Structures are given as structure tokens and as C-alpha cells.
Amino acid sequence: MRKGIVPAKKHNLNFYSLKTIFETMLKKLILLALFFLTGYSASLWAQGSIQGRITDGVSKKPLAFATVNLLRSDSSVVSGYITQEDGLFHIEQIPAGTYLLRISFLGYQTLWTPNVSIKKGEQIQLNTLIMQPQGITKKEVIITAERSVITSNAEKKVFTVDPLLNPGASASDVLQQIPSVTTDQDGNINLRGEGAVTILIDGKPSALSGNGGSLLQQINASSIEKIEVITNPSSKYDADGSNGIINIILKKDSKRGSNALINTSYGLWDKTVLGLNGNYRSKKINTFINANYRYYPVYGRHQINRDYALESNPFLYSQKENSMSYPHNLSFRAGIDINLNEKHSLSLSTLWGSEHQTDDETYTYIAQDAVGSYLLHRILKNRIVNPSFNFEHTLNYRRQFTKPSQILTAAAAWSRDNDYKTIDGNNYNLLPDGTWIDSTWIGSHTIYDNKNDIVVAQVDYEQPLIKDWKLESGLKGTFRFIDNRYFGERNEEGIWMADTSSSSIKYRDQIYAAYGMLSGNIHKLNVRMGLRAEQSYRSFSVLQRSDDFNARYLNFFPSLFLTRKISDHFSVFASYTKRINRPSVFVLNPYPFNNDPNNQMRGNPDVLPEMIHAFELGSHWNSTAHSLSATLYMRQTLNKIQRIRVTEGFISTVQIQNIQSTMNTGAEGMWRAEWARWVNTTLSGNLYSININSDGVGGLVRSQGWAWTGKLLTIMRPAKGFIDLQISGYYNSPFITLQGRILSMYSSDISLKKDILKKHGSITVGLNDIFNTRRFRVNSQYENISQSVTYNRQSRIFLIGFSYRFGGNENSMQRKKTLIDDFGGGGGGE
């Protein structure tokens, strides 16, 4: 039995010199921050300051981006502030006197606080200020205010979702419109050209997210409130997720009274989507339900060609796959939010889901020598039945102290995904004319049974310090329990024989984390610096092997964010974080997944975690109608987990190995223009360089290459009575891999929406992949083999949808605003 820490690989001295320089710079910046903090404290103490928090009068949630102005008696502005995401504002350097406080925000009644008297050096702490939405009456009043589609800061970008312009869309479809995020045919995610992206649901890890792309295709866009893309997460988040975090925040209606939204869509090939969102909110209690059904059958075509350029006996190999998938997804989510009083709140929610998917696959294998004679001519037909079941239960508690920025939150969650798959195959040799030779029949029966449990418990605390400085801290425990059973048998000549690779895997993972974040302003420089410590224990055992794989790691993950506000419209920022990417069970499993026996995947229990150092430097400019953001970034990954393809005969196997390092550097930009009240455009692009240092592993073809992606989204909302229009498109250029390159991919979508029934209902039609160009293509070169792969999954789909909102609420506002998720910190959302 092997226990203990697997020794890490050695790396070049250049990186460690660079690492030492940055660690030294980080220490000096912290000391410099403390020096300026104490120096400025003495000079500014003679002037007063005022601090408070703004909340929504209906939802009781903090209100971000509200404008706070301090006015003299002649209405001239002394100073101002834009509230942060926690609703907090802090105006400082105020001369002694009596002032008028004005707070305003689109869609809300302006709040006035007269006779605010400030003495010399006085620091005033106001009680929580409540803003009431406009239009609250006993009769139903509909007020429409445009939401900010994209908001951003140094740490993350937030994208609100408008599902009415995407009939039948899934979470995977929505991500296609988000800058720097790309998805392949199966919904697997890349961020800035690399994978290993962590998916959070409502700010927390879930057993459901272990399904990767399949999870995203199960979630209806109509259930999503917004999506957060965190390219450089701070120490407040889990350190796992090397290339970033995507946090999908589901809807909870905030309007008073009873509300409901039903939506349905239908597309070609009987694609059907049904959804219901409903809630009842009183002054102290909000209950909500969300139910979705999704039936989205798709067909796929997969082509593989290999040229075996051997010195003796060269030959050509080709493989074709035709598949049809019939997935039925059903989910139900319900919960309750309770405001016990002004300082205590409690939230409980539960989610239940099931999926039953049937796949029919047909593989045709052909190998011919140099003169065209058949070396292999076989057909394989698979019937796959895949029922699965999942649930998730969460409990959140929030305590608001007297000071607005003093908050205690606690949360716990338990989620499970139970996946059971059976594969029945029939394998025959073929005659040259394609006739099956019955005497060559080989039958197979395979069972995959996987149970994945995740339990999370955390507590977070925010404490104001001197002036506008704040300390955030938290503890978190994450526990994963995965049981994976594989059983296979083959029937040759009428005799069933067990597969020698049948196995049972038990995986146990414990991560204990503690973090601290210090944030505040040094003159006009906003500083957020933190440190996270994670102690992880991993146990991995495989049936039929005498040795277990155990490892423990203690790691520290610093982060530093600096933001400088140059003017009311322009700011710059810089950041550094250290992160980790721990190998999954799929990566560790030493037994091949042989759905297709000629193309297999084999994990490696000895794979080490990746270590990532990420740097960003950027700016953000906005005006009334336009916004522009630009970011330069660099990410170095040590012990990069890489897929290496090897071939023995007709069988090609992808193996998992660590290579020395990769370096990803690039520039990312996003421009949003509001040309008029009825039309806006969002254009984004990402240009990056990939540098691979494999140290000879995998027969490296190219070590460096450039790539770029571009996305365009245009939304037109003409005057009342007209049809709304959305057009989107993207392009991904070719980019290199360790053994070749992935070719370009591009696509465009269009949808139209017409409001009906006094704007309570709408009809939407859409066409995805207008020109039928969305296909995944890879060219590889390894050993003496050249390989090309083309995967074309059905993507040009016409859909029509209908939605209707109803309810007898006192305040029926179709307003758009930013909500702050209660399940924060410790490695969940903020």
C-alpha cells in the first residue's frame, strides 16, 4: 500500500525566480498598504465620514449600484458614492457641517435624509436605509426598466439572462453568448481557451455539476437569473477550479404577493421544453417553486480517419458513428425564505431531478492496406439506457448586526447524483458489400453504476475595521463520497465471459479551508488582499488492486486585488491569485471507458494536482450609453494535466499524464454600446498565446501558438407593438494542442419576440445555428499516425416558444436589478 505525498516534479529555475519575485512584491505591497493606511489615517481623521447600507424595501436584499450624494443647503454636491454589491456606502473627508443626503436608483423612489450633522472628525454610522420601488399601489401597475445586461469589476463579470429571446435554450446555449466562454458539441466548457472550469449552482459546489456538460444542457434558461464569470477568483472562493469559476444563479422572484411565470417551447424533432416559476411573498416569508421538463432528442455524426505511415505494412483506418439520443429531464425545486426579524433570516431549499436517456449508436470500422484489401470491416450497434436521479438540500442562515457591514452567515448543503448506465452491444464482421456475417457475432453487456455525494458546511463573518476597511473570514468543510462500479461481460460463440477490467472504485475527498480577506481604501486605491489555507485528504481505492492511493496536501493560496478609480467613469485594476486543480475520479480511474472499444479513455491514479499562478491587469470605462473593458492576463500552470493519445493496432487510447507546464497569455476586451433606447450591441474578443512545455511527453508537434475568439450580440427592442429581435454569433479560431490542433468553429443564432396579452405574455421564434456550421474538428499527429476527427451534433434547430406571467401581486414590476446571493464566502459565490 502506498501512502503519503506523491513527490512533486522539479521545475525550471526561471519560474521559481519569477515566483520568488512575485511573493516578495506581494509582501512589500501588503506592508506598503499598511504604511499608507496608518499615514492617511492621521491626516484624514480631522474630517468626518458617513457610512450606511441600502436595501430593497420589498426583497430586503442589499441594493448595489445606487447613487448616494451629500448635498449642501444650496443643493450643490459635496461628495458622492456608488453602493457596493453588499449595498454599503462610505463617504469620507467631509468638512464639519449640516447636509442633505440623497439616494437614487432607477425604478426606485428617491430617498432623502435631511439635517445630517457632522462634527469635526466624527464618523457617523447610519441605520440601514430602505428604498421602495416605484409604482407600489393596490392596483396592478407594470413598470418596465431596462436591466444592466453586463456588470463587471476586478474579480468577476455578471451577465443577466433574458430567456424570452432564447426559446428552449439551456444553460449551455446561454454560455455561448458570454465573452471568453466557449462550449463544444457536448457542452463542455472552456474559459479563455482552457478547460478545468468549476461550475457552481447558486454559489456552491454540487454533485450535479459533476456531470459537466450534461448538467448545463438539463438546466432551462428560463430558470436562470444571472451568470457570474470569475476569471481570477479571490481567496474567498474554493481554490479548486484552475481556470476560473462559472456561477449559475437560479431565479427566486422578489415581488410581493403571488406571482408565476409559465413558459413552453417546441422545436423540430419533437424538442419540448416546459417550465414553471412561482412564488408567494409576504412581508416576512417568501416561498417559491420551480419545475422544468425538457425533452431534447438530437442526432450526431462522428468521423475518424487515421493514416498509419509505418515503415512496413502502412494502412488506412476510418470509423463512422451515427447516434440518436432521447433524453427526458425533469426537475423540481422549492424553498422558503424567512425574515425572522430585521437582523435574522433563514432560507431552506430542496431540488429533485431525474433523467432518463436512451441512445442508439452505430459504429462502422474499416481498415485497408496500401492496395485496398480489407484488414478490418466490422459494425457495432449499441443500445444505451441511462436513468439517473439527483437531489440537493440547502440551509442558509444570515445574522445582521447593528453595524451594516457586520454580518454572520452560515450554510450547509447535501447533494447526490446517482447515475446508472447499461450498454448492450452487438458486434459483427462485414462482407465487402456491407452484409453482416452472423457467425462472427460478439455480444457485450456493460453496467456503470455511479453515486456521487457532496456535503458542504461553512460559516462566514464580515467585520468593519477602522474607517472603510473591512475584514472577511470564514471556515469551510467539503466532503465528497464517490462510489463507481463497472461490470462487463462478453458473449463469444455462445459463452458469456466476465470482462477482466470489471472494477469497483471508492473515492473519498475531504477539504478543510480557512480564509481571511482584508479590504479597504488607501486614498483612491481600493485594496483587497487575502490568504486561504486548504488541508485536503484524498483516498482512492480500486477493487482487484492490492494498493490504495492516498494523498494529503496542505496548500496556501494568496490573492491580491488593486483597483484605482481614475474618474466617475474610468477605473483600472490589477490582481494576482494562486489556485489548484485537483484530478477528478474520471482522471484517476485506471480502467478504460470502452463505450467504443476502438477509442478508449484511461485515467492515471498517480496524476498530481495542477498549480496555477494567475495575473491580470485591466481597465473599465463606462458612460451613459457605452461601456468598454480591457484585460491583459497571464496564467502559468505547473504539473499540467494533459491527455496523451497512443495507439496499439486499431485501438486508440487517451491516457492522462502530467506535463511540466503551460503558459497562457492574452488580451481580452468587451465593448457594449447602447445606440438608442431600442438597440444595443455587445462585442467581445479574446486573443491569447499558448506555450506548452511538455519535456518530450506525447510527441509534441508544436510548443507555441496563437488563437482568438470573437462574439457579437445585438438586441433590438423597437417601440411598443413591434417585434423584438436578437442576433448573436461567435468565431473560435484554430488553436494548438499537445499533439496537433483544434480547427475553427463558428455559428450564429437569431430569435424574434412579440409581446401579447397586455405584455403579460409573449411569443418567441428562434433559429439556432442558422448556416449549420457548428462542428468540432481536430487534427492530430502522434507516433507515425496522422488523425482527423469531425464531430457534428445536430445544431440547426427551429423553435417556437410561449410564456405568460400572471399573479395578483401588489407590486408587479418588470424591473431588472442585481441580487446578492446569501450562500457566499468560504468558496461559494459572493
Side-chain angles (χ1 to χ4, degrees):
M1 181 177 293
R2 294 179 295 166
K3 296 185 178 180
I5 302 175
V6 181
K9 294 184 178 181
K10 293 184 179 180
H11 304 287
N12 57 70
L13 294 175
N14 290 335
F15 171 76
Y16 279 109
S17 300
L18 182 65
K19 179 174 178 288
T20 302
I21 291 172
F22 278 112
E23 287 179 347
T24 304
M25 290 176 61
L26 180 63
K27 293 177 182 178
K28 290 184 177 180
L29 280 171
I30 294 174
L31 292 174
L32 185 63
L34 294 175
F35 171 77
F36 276 109
L37 176 62
T38 54
Y40 275 108
S41 296
S43 62
L44 300 179
W45 195 258
Q47 295 180 316
S49 67
I50 185 170
Q51 180 176 342
R53 183 187 295 271
I54 313 298
T55 63
D56 184 305
V58 176
S59 68
K60 308 302 181 185
K61 298 286 186 179
L63 195 59
F65 309 113
T67 301
V68 183
N69 290 121
L70 197 64
L71 310 177
R72 297 186 180 91
S73 57
D74 60 359
S75 297
S76 61
V77 177
V78 177
S79 185
Y81 202 95
I82 302 297
T83 57
Q84 302 172 10
E85 291 194 353
D86 55 5
L88 188 68
F89 70 90
H90 189 157
I91 303 175
E92 56 184 354
Q93 302 184 46
I94 305 173
T98 301
Y99 302 96
L100 175 65
L101 190 68
R102 180 184 66 194
I103 304 170
S104 58
F105 191 63
L106 181 64
Y108 289 80
Q109 300 172 11
T110 300
L111 184 63
W112 300 86
T113 303
N115 302 321
V116 179
S117 180
I118 300 178
K119 299 178 182 178
K120 184 177 180 180
E122 184 179 13
Q123 294 179 309
I124 294 179
Q125 181 73 55
L126 297 177
N127 294 327
T128 298
L129 301 172
I130 299 173
M131 295 193 73
Q132 296 294 345
Q134 294 176 350
I136 296 181
T137 96
K138 292 185 178 179
K139 296 182 179 180
E140 182 178 7
V141 176
I142 297 178
I143 298 176
T144 302
E146 289 297 325
R147 67 176 139 191
S148 177
V149 177
I150 301 173
T151 59
S152 65
N153 57 31
E155 192 169 358
K156 63 184 176 183
K157 295 180 177 67
V158 182
F159 303 85
T160 53
V161 176
D162 189 349
L164 299 184
L165 289 177
N166 297 276
S170 66
S172 181
D173 298 322
V174 174
L175 287 175
Q176 288 282 9
Q177 300 180 357
I178 294 178
S180 297
V181 178
T182 58
T183 59
D184 62 20
Q185 295 279 355
D186 294 320
N188 299 311
I189 296 173
N190 286 312
L191 183 58
R192 290 178 172 173
E194 293 198 39
V197 180
T198 295
I199 304 296
L200 302 179
I201 307 296
D202 281 336
K204 59 186 180 295
S206 167
L208 282 63
S209 60
N211 289 332
S214 62
L215 167 72
L216 297 175
Q217 304 217 14
Q218 294 173 30
I219 299 177
N220 288 346
S222 60
S223 302
I224 303 173
E225 172 70 24
K226 60 184 178 181
I227 295 177
E228 298 178 341
V229 178
I230 309 166
T231 54
N232 211 13
S234 71
S235 301
K236 190 173 183 179
Y237 292 87
D238 280 343
D240 225 341
S242 60
N243 296 319
I245 294 172
I246 293 178
N247 182 23
I248 298 174
I249 298 177
L250 303 178
K251 285 183 175 177
K252 285 198 292 186
D253 210 318
S254 62
K255 295 182 288 294
R256 186 76 63 86
S258 300
N259 309 274
L261 173 67
I262 59 172
N263 61 81
T264 182
S265 68
Y266 181 81
L268 298 179
W269 293 70
D270 295 329
K271 293 175 173 58
T272 305
V273 175
L274 300 171
L276 169 66
N277 295 296
N279 85 300
Y280 174 77
R281 180 181 290 276
S282 63
K283 185 176 181 180
K284 292 198 172 191
I285 294 178
N286 176 51
T287 57
F288 61 91
I289 61 170
N290 178 279
N292 290 288
Y293 169 73
R294 186 176 182 87
Y295 175 60
Y296 226 73
V298 294
Y299 67 81
R301 295 192 181 101
H302 194 184
Q303 175 77 43
I304 299 176
N305 293 311
R306 295 192 202 118
D307 183 359
Y308 288 73
L310 307 177
E311 292 184 5
S312 61
N313 301 321
F315 65 92
L316 299 176
Y317 172 91
S318 68
Q319 172 182 327
K320 293 182 180 179
E321 175 198 350
N322 291 311
S323 63
M324 191 70 197
S325 297
Y326 306 91
H328 295 264
N329 298 293
L330 181 64
S331 66
F332 177 82
R333 179 172 174 258
I336 183 171
D337 304 321
I338 305 172
N339 292 321
L340 303 174
N341 52 44
E342 292 185 357
K343 299 185 182 299
H344 301 268
S345 62
L346 192 67
S347 298
L348 300 94
S349 67
T350 184
L351 182 148
W352 299 84
S354 67
E355 177 184 12
H356 191 283
Q357 178 168 323
T358 303
D359 296 281
D360 290 317
E361 300 176 339
T362 300
Y363 297 87
T364 304
Y365 308 101
I366 298 176
Q368 295 176 289
D369 61 19
V371 296
S373 300
Y374 281 99
L375 304 175
L376 173 71
H377 196 191
R378 292 189 69 83
I379 189 170
L380 169 65
K381 286 185 170 291
N382 282 334
R383 176 78 170 183
I384 304 174
V385 179
N386 185 196
S388 63
F389 168 76
N390 53 67
F391 65 77
E392 184 170 80
H393 310 305
T394 63
L395 172 64
N396 299 326
Y397 168 75
R398 181 185 178 94
R399 165 70 191 277
Q400 173 74 59
F401 294 91
T402 303
K403 295 182 179 180
S405 56
Q406 187 177 10
I407 302 171
L408 174 70
T409 60
W414 172 33
S415 58
R416 170 179 292 178
D417 180 47
N418 203 332
D419 191 23
Y420 187 85
K421 179 186 293 185
T422 60
I423 304 175
D424 290 294
N426 295 284
N427 202 328
Y428 298 87
N429 280 338
L430 301 177
L431 294 173
D433 63 0
T435 304
W436 300 7
I437 305 176
D438 292 340
S439 61
T440 64
W441 172 77
I442 297 176
S444 61
H445 178 71
T446 307
I447 297 174
Y448 294 92
D449 187 6
N450 181 66
K451 185 172 69 173
N452 181 8
D453 284 81
I454 296 181
V455 178
V456 178
Q458 69 183 71
V459 59
D460 301 276
Y461 178 70
E462 298 180 18
Q463 170 67 51
L465 301 176
I466 58 174
K467 298 184 71 63
D468 59 350
W469 284 77
K470 179 174 67 172
L471 176 65
E472 301 170 75
S473 58
L475 300 172
K476 181 175 183 181
T478 304
F479 310 90
R480 293 181 176 88
F481 308 90
I482 299 176
D483 294 312
N484 192 322
R485 184 173 66 92
Y486 162 74
F487 171 77
E489 55 182 352
R490 293 164 58 88
N491 188 325
E492 297 187 42
E493 300 180 353
I495 301 175
W496 284 98
M497 297 173 292
D499 191 335
T500 56
S501 63
S502 296
S503 66
S504 178
I505 295 172
K506 290 186 180 295
Y507 178 89
R508 301 294 182 261
D509 192 359
Q510 305 171 52
I511 301 175
Y512 301 94
Y515 78 92
M517 291 285 298
L518 183 64
S519 59
N521 294 321
I522 303 174
H523 197 39
K524 294 184 179 182
L525 181 68
N526 180 264
V527 180
R528 280 172 54 82
M529 47 189 171
L531 181 65
R532 185 181 188 89
E534 288 190 352
Q535 175 69 65
S536 62
Y537 301 88
R538 188 186 74 186
S539 172
F540 181 75
S541 61
V542 182
L543 186 68
Q544 297 179 348
R545 293 187 62 145
S546 59
D547 50 354
D548 294 341
F549 302 90
N550 300 302
R552 63 175 63 186
Y553 306 95
L554 174 61
N555 299 109
F556 295 92
F557 303 96
S559 67
L560 175 65
F561 294 81
L562 303 173
T563 304
R564 175 70 158 81
K565 187 175 181 180
I566 306 300
S567 67
D568 290 340
H569 302 286
F570 183 66
S571 61
V572 295
F573 63 86
S575 65
Y576 162 77
T577 64
K578 178 184 176 183
R579 301 188 60 73
I580 191 172
N581 180 36
R582 299 180 178 93
S584 65
V585 176
F586 183 72
V587 169
L588 296 171
N589 185 4
Y591 290 105
F593 179 81
N594 58 353
N595 195 38
D596 171 9
N598 281 11
N599 290 275
Q600 301 184 354
M601 177 84 176
R602 186 188 296 271
N604 180 0
D606 294 317
V607 165
L608 299 173
E610 297 176 345
M611 286 295 177
I612 299 92
H613 298 268
F615 306 85
E616 290 191 5
L617 177 65
S619 63
H620 182 76
W621 172 85
N622 69 285
S623 66
T624 305
H626 299 268
S627 66
L628 177 66
S629 64
T631 305
L632 300 175
Y633 61 87
M634 179 180 72
R635 181 172 60 247
Q636 181 161 26
T637 304
L638 305 179
N639 293 330
K640 177 69 175 179
I641 298 174
Q642 191 71 45
R643 297 184 177 191
I644 310 295
R645 184 175 291 276
V646 297
T647 299
E648 183 177 351
F650 303 130
I651 300 176
S652 177
T653 303
V654 173
Q655 300 178 348
I656 304 297
Q657 295 185 42
N658 290 112
I659 64 173
Q660 188 166 349
S661 66
T662 61
M663 177 72 79
N664 188 326
T665 57
E668 176 186 79
M670 181 174 64
W671 173 52
R672 176 174 167 80
E674 193 89 20
W675 304 108
R677 290 182 60 87
W678 57 275
V679 59
N680 64 75
T681 300
T682 302
L683 175 65
S684 62
N686 179 34
L687 173 67
Y688 58 97
S689 169
I690 303 172
N691 196 313
I692 302 173
N693 182 2
S694 69
D695 203 19
V697 176
L700 181 65
V701 176
R702 296 179 63 191
S703 61
Q704 195 274 336
W706 288 89
W708 67 277
T709 64
K711 294 190 178 184
L712 177 65
L713 171 65
T714 298
I715 299 176
M716 297 185 218
R717 302 178 187 271
K720 180 179 179 181
F722 285 81
I723 295 175
D724 297 345
L725 170 68
Q726 174 177 289
I727 302 174
S728 63
Y730 73 89
Y731 175 83
N732 301 334
S733 77
F735 64 94
I736 70 167
T737 65
L738 184 64
Q739 295 176 310
R741 68 173 188 162
I742 297 176
L743 303 185
S744 62
M745 182 185 296
Y746 51 94
S747 179
S748 56
D749 305 330
I750 186 172
S751 59
L752 302 167
K753 186 191 76 170
K754 171 66 175 175
D755 289 331
I756 59 174
L757 303 175
K758 298 181 180 180
K759 290 194 174 183
H760 288 283
S762 65
I763 294 178
T764 308
V765 295
L767 180 61
N768 296 333
D769 193 13
I770 301 171
F771 304 105
N772 197 26
T773 56
R774 189 177 298 167
R775 55 181 54 89
F776 184 73
R777 299 170 297 162
V778 184
N779 289 340
S780 303
Q781 179 74 44
Y782 56 97
E783 301 166 353
N784 293 318
I785 301 171
S786 300
Q787 175 175 286
S788 65
V789 177
T790 301
Y791 183 26
N792 187 12
R793 191 170 182 264
Q794 182 188 16
S795 57
R796 183 158 63 181
I797 302 169
F798 176 80
L799 298 130
I800 182 169
F802 170 76
S803 69
Y804 184 77
R805 179 182 292 276
F806 59 91
N809 55 319
E810 293 179 355
N811 172 36
S812 176
M813 292 192 66
Q814 294 174 349
R815 52 186 167 82
K816 321 298 182 183
K817 60 188 182 64
T818 302
L819 298 179
I820 307 302
D821 183 59
D822 284 337
F823 197 109
E830 286 188 289

